[in-house]
Amino acid sequence: MGGMMDGSGMGNSFFGGFFGFGLILLILIIAIFFIVRWMMKPNADERNSNDREHREPRSKEVLKKRLASGEITEEEYDRLKKKLDD
């Protein structure tokens, strides 16, 4: 009965439980952070389609300018435009 009254046993289990819970809470917070970060990042397919959408109009504009300046013929323009559309 004297062992229960001095509080040493309860103090050790309290701090052990508190720090154990704190470690689990820290791991949980880190896991949630990485899951949210992973979900917010666009996947490779979306990045490639976005890059292609931004690149194509610019490429076609350059192609039109080259045709207008006489740098390429209409046949070359049609061939290159078809290649860009593929």
Side-chain angles (χ1 to χ4, degrees), residues 2-16:
M4 289 176 62
M5 297 300 280
D6 66 4
S8 64
M10 188 170 178
N12 287 337
S13 71
F14 173 74
F15 284 112

Side-chain angles (χ1 to χ4, degrees), residues 67-78:
L67 177 64
S69 69
E71 189 178 332
I72 59 173
T73 63
E74 286 186 36
E75 292 80 19
E76 288 175 308
Y77 172 80
D78 291 335

Side-chain angles (χ1 to χ4, degrees), residues 5-7 9 18 27 35 38-40 43 49 56 61 66 69 73-74 78 85-86:
M5 297 300 280
D6 66 4
F18 177 74
I27 292 170
I35 289 170
W38 173 72
M39 291 176 70
M40 299 297 280
N43 64 23
S49 67
E56 269 187 29
E61 287 174 21
R66 290 180 65 193
S69 69
T73 63
E74 286 186 36
D78 291 335
D85 289 337
D86 289 339

